[in-house]
Coordinates of all heavy atoms in Angstrom, one line a residue:
M1 N -2.0 142.9 -58.3 CA -1.2 141.7 -58.4 C -2.1 140.5 -58.4 O -2.1 139.6 -59.3 CB -0.2 141.6 -57.2 CG 0.7 140.4 -57.3 SD 1.8 140.3 -58.7 CE 2.3 138.6 -58.6
D2 N -3.0 140.4 -57.4 CA -3.9 139.3 -57.3 C -5.1 139.5 -58.3 O -5.4 140.6 -58.6 CB -4.4 139.0 -55.9 CG -5.1 140.3 -55.3 OD1 -4.7 141.4 -55.7 OD2 -5.9 140.1 -54.4
K3 N -5.6 138.4 -58.7 CA -6.8 138.3 -59.6 C -6.4 138.8 -61.0 O -7.3 139.0 -61.8 CB -8.0 139.2 -59.1 CG -8.5 138.9 -57.7 CD -9.4 137.7 -57.7 CE -9.9 137.3 -56.3 NZ -10.6 136.1 -56.2
I4 N -5.2 139.0 -61.3 CA -4.7 139.4 -62.6 C -3.6 138.5 -63.1 O -2.7 138.1 -62.3 CB -4.2 140.9 -62.6 CG1 -5.3 141.9 -62.3 CG2 -3.4 141.2 -63.8 CD1 -6.3 142.0 -63.4
K5 N -3.7 138.0 -64.3 CA -2.6 137.3 -64.9 C -2.3 137.9 -66.2 O -3.1 138.6 -66.8 CB -3.0 135.8 -65.0 CG -4.2 135.5 -65.9 CD -4.5 134.1 -65.9 CE -5.7 133.8 -66.8 NZ -6.1 132.4 -66.7
K6 N -1.2 137.5 -66.7 CA -0.8 138.1 -68.0 C -1.0 137.1 -69.1 O -0.7 135.9 -69.0 CB 0.7 138.5 -68.0 CG 1.0 139.9 -67.7 CD 2.4 140.3 -67.9 CE 2.6 141.8 -67.8 NZ 4.0 142.1 -68.1
C7 N -1.6 137.5 -70.2 CA -1.8 136.6 -71.4 C -0.4 136.3 -71.9 O 0.4 137.1 -72.2 CB -2.6 137.4 -72.4 SG -2.7 136.5 -74.0
P8 N -0.1 135.0 -72.1 CA 1.2 134.6 -72.7 C 1.3 134.9 -74.2 O 2.5 134.8 -74.7 CB 1.2 133.0 -72.5 CG -0.2 132.7 -72.4 CD -1.0 133.8 -71.9
W9 N 0.3 135.2 -74.8 CA 0.3 135.5 -76.3 C 0.5 137.0 -76.5 O 1.4 137.4 -77.4 CB -0.9 135.0 -77.0 CG -1.3 133.6 -76.6 CD1 -2.2 133.2 -75.7 CD2 -0.7 132.4 -77.2 NE1 -2.2 131.8 -75.7 CE2 -1.4 131.3 -76.5 CE3 0.2 132.2 -78.2 CZ2 -1.0 130.0 -76.9 CZ3 0.5 130.9 -78.5 CH2 -0.1 129.8 -77.8
C10 N -0.2 137.9 -75.8 CA -0.2 139.3 -76.2 C 0.2 140.1 -75.0 O 0.2 141.4 -75.1 CB -1.5 139.8 -76.7 SG -2.9 139.7 -75.5
N11 N 0.5 139.5 -73.8 CA 0.9 140.2 -72.6 C -0.1 141.1 -72.0 O 0.2 142.0 -71.2 CB 2.2 141.0 -72.9 CG 3.5 140.2 -72.5 OD1 3.4 139.2 -71.8 ND2 4.6 140.5 -73.1
A12 N -1.4 141.0 -72.4 CA -2.4 141.8 -71.8 C -2.7 141.3 -70.4 O -2.5 140.2 -70.1 CB -3.7 141.7 -72.7
R13 N -3.1 142.2 -69.6 CA -3.5 141.9 -68.2 C -5.0 141.4 -68.2 O -5.9 142.2 -68.6 CB -3.3 143.1 -67.3 CG -1.9 143.4 -67.1 CD -1.6 144.8 -66.6 NE -0.7 144.8 -65.5 CZ -1.0 145.0 -64.3 NH1 -2.2 145.1 -63.9 NH2 -0.1 145.0 -63.3
I14 N -5.2 140.2 -67.8 CA -6.6 139.7 -67.8 C -6.9 139.1 -66.5 O -6.1 138.8 -65.7 CB -6.7 138.6 -68.9 CG1 -5.6 137.6 -68.9 CG2 -6.8 139.2 -70.3 CD1 -5.7 136.5 -69.9
H15 N -8.2 138.9 -66.2 CA -8.7 138.3 -65.0 C -8.2 136.9 -64.8 O -8.1 136.2 -65.8 CB -10.2 138.4 -64.9 CG -10.7 138.2 -63.5 ND1 -11.1 136.9 -63.1 CD2 -10.8 139.0 -62.4 CE1 -11.5 137.0 -61.8 NE2 -11.3 138.2 -61.4
I16 N -7.9 136.5 -63.6 CA -7.3 135.2 -63.3 C -8.2 134.0 -63.7 O -7.7 132.9 -63.9 CB -6.8 135.2 -61.8 CG1 -5.7 134.2 -61.6 CG2 -8.0 134.9 -60.9 CD1 -4.7 134.7 -60.6
D17 N -9.5 134.2 -63.7 CA -10.4 133.1 -63.9 C -10.7 132.9 -65.4 O -11.3 131.9 -65.8 CB -11.7 133.4 -63.2 CG -11.5 133.3 -61.7 OD1 -10.6 132.5 -61.3 OD2 -12.2 134.0 -61.0
V18 N -10.4 133.8 -66.3 CA -10.8 133.7 -67.7 C -9.9 132.6 -68.4 O -8.8 132.4 -68.1 CB -10.7 135.0 -68.5 CG1 -11.7 136.1 -67.9 CG2 -9.3 135.6 -68.5
K19 N -10.6 131.9 -69.3 CA -9.9 130.8 -70.0 C -9.5 131.3 -71.4 O -8.8 130.6 -72.1 CB -10.8 129.6 -70.0 CG -10.9 128.9 -68.7 CD -11.7 127.7 -68.7 CE -11.6 126.9 -67.4 NZ -12.3 127.7 -66.3
T20 N -10.1 132.4 -71.8 CA -9.8 132.9 -73.2 C -9.5 134.4 -73.0 O -10.2 135.1 -72.4 CB -11.0 132.7 -74.1 OG1 -11.4 131.4 -74.1 CG2 -10.6 133.1 -75.5
C21 N -8.3 134.8 -73.6 CA -7.9 136.2 -73.5 C -8.9 137.1 -74.2 O -9.3 136.8 -75.3 CB -6.5 136.4 -74.1 SG -6.0 138.1 -74.2
S22 N -9.4 138.1 -73.6 CA -10.4 139.0 -74.2 C -9.8 139.9 -75.2 O -10.5 140.6 -75.9 CB -11.1 139.8 -73.1 OG -10.1 140.4 -72.2
F23 N -8.5 140.0 -75.3 CA -7.8 140.9 -76.3 C -7.5 140.2 -77.6 O -7.8 140.6 -78.7 CB -6.6 141.5 -75.7 CG -6.9 142.5 -74.5 CD1 -6.9 142.0 -73.2 CD2 -7.2 143.8 -74.8 CE1 -7.2 142.8 -72.2 CE2 -7.5 144.7 -73.7 CZ -7.5 144.2 -72.4
C24 N -6.8 139.0 -77.4 CA -6.4 138.3 -78.6 C -7.2 137.1 -78.9 O -7.0 136.4 -79.9 CB -4.9 137.9 -78.5 SG -4.5 136.8 -77.2
K25 N -8.1 136.7 -78.0 CA -9.1 135.6 -78.2 C -8.4 134.3 -78.2 O -9.0 133.3 -78.7 CB -9.9 135.8 -79.5 CG -10.6 137.2 -79.6 CD -11.7 137.3 -78.6 CE -12.4 138.7 -78.7 NZ -13.2 139.0 -77.5
K26 N -7.2 134.2 -77.7 CA -6.5 132.9 -77.6 C -6.8 132.3 -76.3 O -6.9 133.0 -75.3 CB -5.1 133.1 -77.9 CG -4.8 133.3 -79.4 CD -3.4 133.4 -79.7 CE -3.1 133.6 -81.2 NZ -1.8 133.9 -81.5
K27 N -6.7 131.0 -76.2 CA -6.9 130.3 -74.9 C -5.6 130.4 -74.1 O -4.5 130.3 -74.5 CB -7.1 128.8 -75.2 CG -8.5 128.5 -75.8 CD -8.8 127.1 -75.8 CE -10.3 126.8 -76.3 NZ -10.6 125.4 -76.3
V28 N -5.9 130.6 -72.8 CA -4.8 130.7 -71.8 C -5.0 129.7 -70.7 O -6.2 129.3 -70.4 CB -4.8 132.1 -71.2 CG1 -4.3 133.1 -72.2 CG2 -6.1 132.5 -70.6
G29 N -3.9 129.2 -70.2 CA -4.0 128.1 -69.1 C -4.0 128.7 -67.8 O -4.3 129.9 -67.5
K30 N -3.5 127.9 -66.8 CA -3.4 128.3 -65.4 C -2.2 129.3 -65.3 O -1.3 129.3 -66.1 CB -3.2 127.1 -64.5 CG -4.4 126.2 -64.4 CD -4.1 125.0 -63.5 CE -5.3 124.1 -63.4 NZ -5.0 122.9 -62.7
T31 N -2.3 130.0 -64.2 CA -1.2 131.0 -63.9 C 0.0 130.3 -63.3 O -0.2 129.5 -62.4 CB -1.8 132.1 -62.9 OG1 -3.0 132.5 -63.4 CG2 -0.8 133.2 -62.9
V32 N 1.1 130.6 -63.7 CA 2.3 130.1 -63.1 C 3.0 131.2 -62.3 O 2.5 132.4 -62.3 CB 3.3 129.6 -64.2 CG1 2.8 128.3 -64.8 CG2 3.6 130.6 -65.3
A33 N 4.1 131.0 -61.7 CA 4.8 132.0 -60.9 C 5.2 133.2 -61.8 O 5.6 133.0 -62.9 CB 6.1 131.4 -60.4
G34 N 5.0 134.4 -61.2 CA 5.2 135.6 -61.9 C 4.0 136.2 -62.5 O 4.0 137.2 -63.1
G35 N 2.8 135.5 -62.3 CA 1.5 136.0 -62.7 C 1.3 135.9 -64.2 O 0.4 136.6 -64.7
I36 N 2.1 135.1 -64.9 CA 1.9 134.9 -66.4 C 1.1 133.6 -66.6 O 1.5 132.6 -66.0 CB 3.2 134.9 -67.1 CG1 3.9 136.3 -66.9 CG2 3.0 134.7 -68.6 CD1 5.4 136.3 -67.2
A37 N 0.1 133.6 -67.4 CA -0.7 132.4 -67.6 C 0.1 131.5 -68.5 O 0.9 131.9 -69.4 CB -2.0 132.8 -68.3
Q38 N -0.1 130.2 -68.3 CA 0.5 129.2 -69.2 C -0.2 129.2 -70.5 O -1.3 129.4 -70.6 CB 0.4 127.8 -68.6 CG 1.5 127.5 -67.5 CD 1.3 126.1 -67.0 OE1 0.2 125.7 -66.8 NE2 2.4 125.5 -66.8
K39 N 0.6 128.8 -71.6 CA 0.0 128.4 -72.8 C -0.6 127.0 -72.6 O 0.0 126.1 -72.2 CB 1.0 128.4 -73.9 CG 1.5 129.8 -74.3 CD 2.6 129.8 -75.3 CE 3.1 131.2 -75.5 NZ 4.3 131.2 -76.4
P40 N -1.9 126.9 -73.0 CA -2.5 125.6 -72.9 C -1.9 124.5 -73.7 O -1.3 124.8 -74.8 CB -4.0 125.8 -73.2 CG -3.9 127.0 -74.1 CD -2.8 127.8 -73.7
I41 N -1.9 123.3 -73.3 CA -1.3 122.2 -74.1 C -2.1 121.9 -75.3 O -3.3 121.8 -75.3 CB -1.2 120.9 -73.2 CG1 -0.3 121.2 -72.0 CG2 -0.6 119.8 -74.0 CD1 -0.4 120.2 -70.9
D42 N -1.4 121.9 -76.4 CA -2.1 121.7 -77.7 C -2.1 120.2 -78.0 O -1.1 119.7 -78.6 CB -1.3 122.5 -78.8 CG -2.1 122.5 -80.1 OD1 -3.1 121.8 -80.2 OD2 -1.7 123.3 -81.0
W43 N -3.1 119.5 -77.6 CA -3.2 118.1 -77.7 C -3.2 117.6 -79.1 O -2.7 116.5 -79.5 CB -4.4 117.5 -76.9 CG -4.2 117.6 -75.4 CD1 -4.9 118.5 -74.6 CD2 -3.3 116.9 -74.6 NE1 -4.5 118.3 -73.3 CE2 -3.5 117.4 -73.3 CE3 -2.4 115.9 -74.9 CZ2 -2.8 116.9 -72.2 CZ3 -1.7 115.4 -73.8 CH2 -1.8 115.9 -72.5
R44 N -3.8 118.4 -80.0 CA -3.9 118.0 -81.4 C -2.5 117.9 -82.0 O -2.2 117.0 -82.8 CB -4.8 118.9 -82.2 CG -5.5 118.3 -83.4 CD -6.5 119.3 -84.0 NE -5.8 120.5 -84.5 CZ -6.4 121.4 -85.3 NH1 -7.6 121.3 -85.6 NH2 -5.7 122.4 -85.7
S45 N -1.7 118.9 -81.7 CA -0.3 118.9 -82.2 C 0.5 117.7 -81.7 O 1.2 117.1 -82.5 CB 0.4 120.2 -81.9 OG -0.3 121.3 -82.4
Y46 N 0.3 117.4 -80.4 CA 0.9 116.2 -79.9 C 0.5 114.9 -80.6 O 1.3 114.1 -80.9 CB 0.6 116.1 -78.4 CG 1.5 116.9 -77.5 CD1 1.1 118.1 -77.0 CD2 2.8 116.4 -77.2 CE1 1.9 118.8 -76.1 CE2 3.6 117.1 -76.3 CZ 3.2 118.3 -75.8 OH 4.0 119.0 -75.0
L47 N -0.8 114.8 -80.8 CA -1.4 113.7 -81.5 C -0.9 113.5 -82.9 O -0.5 112.4 -83.3 CB -2.9 113.8 -81.5 CG -3.7 112.5 -81.8 CD1 -3.5 111.5 -80.6 CD2 -5.2 112.8 -81.9
I48 N -0.8 114.6 -83.6 CA -0.3 114.6 -85.0 C 1.1 114.2 -85.0 O 1.6 113.3 -85.8 CB -0.5 115.9 -85.7 CG1 -2.0 116.2 -86.0 CG2 0.2 116.0 -87.0 CD1 -2.4 117.6 -86.3
C49 N 1.9 114.7 -84.1 CA 3.3 114.3 -84.0 C 3.5 112.9 -83.7 O 4.3 112.2 -84.3 CB 4.0 115.2 -82.9 SG 5.7 114.9 -82.7
L50 N 2.7 112.3 -82.8 CA 2.7 110.9 -82.4 C 2.4 110.0 -83.6 O 3.1 109.1 -83.9 CB 1.8 110.6 -81.3 CG 1.9 109.3 -80.6 CD1 3.1 109.2 -79.7 CD2 0.7 109.0 -79.7
I51 N 1.3 110.4 -84.4 CA 0.9 109.6 -85.5 C 2.0 109.6 -86.6 O 2.3 108.6 -87.2 CB -0.4 110.2 -86.1 CG1 -1.6 109.8 -85.1 CG2 -0.7 109.6 -87.5 CD1 -2.8 110.6 -85.4
V52 N 2.6 110.8 -86.8 CA 3.7 110.9 -87.8 C 4.9 109.9 -87.4 O 5.4 109.2 -88.3 CB 4.2 112.3 -87.9 CG1 5.5 112.4 -88.6 CG2 3.2 113.2 -88.6
W53 N 5.2 109.9 -86.1 CA 6.3 109.0 -85.7 C 5.9 107.5 -85.9 O 6.8 106.7 -86.3 CB 6.6 109.3 -84.2 CG 7.7 110.3 -84.1 CD1 7.5 111.6 -83.7 CD2 9.1 110.2 -84.3 NE1 8.7 112.3 -83.7 CE2 9.7 111.4 -84.1 CE3 9.9 109.1 -84.7 CZ2 11.0 111.6 -84.3 CZ3 11.2 109.3 -84.9 CH2 11.8 110.6 -84.7
V54 N 4.7 107.2 -85.5 CA 4.3 105.8 -85.7 C 4.3 105.4 -87.1 O 4.8 104.3 -87.5 CB 2.9 105.6 -85.1 CG1 2.3 104.2 -85.5 CG2 2.9 105.7 -83.5
V55 N 3.8 106.2 -88.0 CA 3.8 105.9 -89.4 C 5.3 105.8 -89.9 O 5.6 104.9 -90.7 CB 3.1 107.0 -90.2 CG1 3.3 106.9 -91.7 CG2 1.6 106.9 -89.9
F56 N 6.2 106.7 -89.5 CA 7.6 106.6 -89.9 C 8.2 105.3 -89.4 O 8.9 104.7 -90.2 CB 8.3 107.8 -89.2 CG 9.7 107.9 -89.5 CD1 10.2 108.2 -90.8 CD2 10.7 107.6 -88.5 CE1 11.6 108.2 -91.0 CE2 12.0 107.7 -88.7 CZ 12.5 108.0 -90.0
I57 N 8.0 104.9 -88.2 CA 8.6 103.7 -87.6 C 8.0 102.5 -88.4 O 8.8 101.6 -88.8 CB 8.3 103.6 -86.1 CG1 9.2 104.7 -85.4 CG2 8.7 102.2 -85.6 CD1 8.7 104.9 -84.0
L58 N 6.7 102.5 -88.7 CA 6.1 101.4 -89.4 C 6.7 101.3 -90.8 O 6.9 100.2 -91.3 CB 4.6 101.6 -89.5 CG 3.8 101.2 -88.2 CD1 2.4 101.5 -88.4 CD2 3.9 99.7 -88.0
Y59 N 6.9 102.5 -91.4 CA 7.5 102.5 -92.8 C 9.0 101.9 -92.7 O 9.3 101.1 -93.6 CB 7.5 103.9 -93.3 CG 8.3 104.0 -94.6 CD1 7.8 103.5 -95.8 CD2 9.6 104.6 -94.6 CE1 8.5 103.6 -97.0 CE2 10.3 104.6 -95.8 CZ 9.7 104.1 -97.0 OH 10.5 104.2 -98.1
I60 N 9.7 102.3 -91.8 CA 11.1 101.8 -91.6 C 11.1 100.2 -91.5 O 11.8 99.5 -92.1 CB 11.8 102.4 -90.4 CG1 12.0 103.9 -90.6 CG2 13.2 101.7 -90.1 CD1 13.0 104.3 -91.7
W61 N 10.1 99.8 -90.6 CA 10.0 98.3 -90.4 C 9.6 97.7 -91.7 O 10.1 96.6 -92.1 CB 8.9 98.1 -89.3 CG 8.6 96.7 -89.1 CD1 9.3 95.7 -88.4 CD2 7.5 96.0 -89.7 NE1 8.7 94.5 -88.5 CE2 7.6 94.6 -89.3 CE3 6.4 96.4 -90.5 CZ2 6.6 93.7 -89.6 CZ3 5.4 95.4 -90.8 CH2 5.6 94.1 -90.4
W62 N 8.6 98.2 -92.4 CA 8.1 97.7 -93.6 C 9.2 97.6 -94.7 O 9.3 96.7 -95.5 CB 6.9 98.5 -94.1 CG 6.3 98.1 -95.4 CD1 5.4 97.0 -95.6 CD2 6.6 98.6 -96.7 NE1 5.1 96.9 -96.9 CE2 5.8 97.9 -97.6 CE3 7.3 99.7 -97.1 CZ2 5.8 98.2 -99.0 CZ3 7.4 100.0 -98.5 CH2 6.6 99.2 -99.4
A63 N 10.0 98.7 -94.8 CA 11.0 98.8 -95.8 C 12.2 98.0 -95.6 O 12.8 97.5 -96.6 CB 11.4 100.3 -96.0
F64 N 12.6 97.7 -94.4 CA 13.9 97.1 -94.1 C 13.9 95.8 -93.4 O 14.8 95.0 -93.4 CB 14.8 98.1 -93.4 CG 15.1 99.4 -94.1 CD1 14.5 100.6 -93.8 CD2 16.0 99.3 -95.2 CE1 14.8 101.7 -94.5 CE2 16.2 100.5 -95.9 CZ 15.6 101.7 -95.6
F65 N 12.8 95.6 -92.6 CA 12.9 94.5 -91.6 C 11.9 93.4 -91.9 O 11.6 92.5 -91.0 CB 12.7 95.0 -90.2 CG 13.9 95.9 -89.8 CD1 13.7 97.3 -89.6 CD2 15.1 95.4 -89.5 CE1 14.7 98.1 -89.3 CE2 16.2 96.2 -89.1 CZ 16.0 97.6 -89.0
R66 N 11.3 93.3 -93.0 CA 10.4 92.2 -93.3 C 11.1 91.0 -93.7 O 12.1 91.0 -94.4 CB 9.4 92.7 -94.4 CG 8.3 93.5 -93.8 CD 7.2 93.6 -94.8 NE 7.7 94.2 -96.1 CZ 7.1 94.2 -97.2 NH1 5.9 93.7 -97.4 NH2 7.7 94.7 -98.3
Ligands
ZN101 ZN1 -4.0 137.8 -75.2

């Protein structure tokens, strides 16, 4: 139970300290309740989403409110 967490991607049992799953080579985050590792936050996806929204709002402003 201790020192083991589950990979959120492939469900493999991996050591609690590893940051990359040795089976599927994907990044794993901290362990949450139940011994399953979190999926790490994908900051690049958040950033792209944010940029898309800003561009969209600017376009609406440019198209209708000038
Ligand atoms: Zn894995």
Side-chain angles (χ1 to χ4, degrees):
M1 181 65 194
D2 56 333
K3 303 281 182 190
I4 292 291
K5 63 183 176 185
K6 265 190 170 183
C7 173
W9 310 99
C10 67
N11 269 339
R13 291 157 136 259
I14 49 178
H15 193 264
I16 205 144
D17 292 330
V18 297
K19 290 182 173 66
T20 308
C21 175
S22 50
F23 293 92
C24 63
K25 308 293 181 195
K26 284 179 177 171
K27 286 190 176 180
V28 291
K30 288 178 182 174
T31 312
V32 290
I36 300 165
Q38 279 182 319
K39 292 175 183 176
I41 298 164
D42 192 349
W43 289 108
R44 205 175 63 172
S45 298
Y46 275 100
L47 196 67
I48 290 167
C49 183
L50 192 72
I51 289 166
V52 166
W53 271 104
V54 168
V55 168
F56 177 70
I57 290 163
L58 280 175
Y59 172 74
I60 297 292
W61 173 82
W62 176 83
F64 297 107
F65 296 107
R66 276 192 307 165

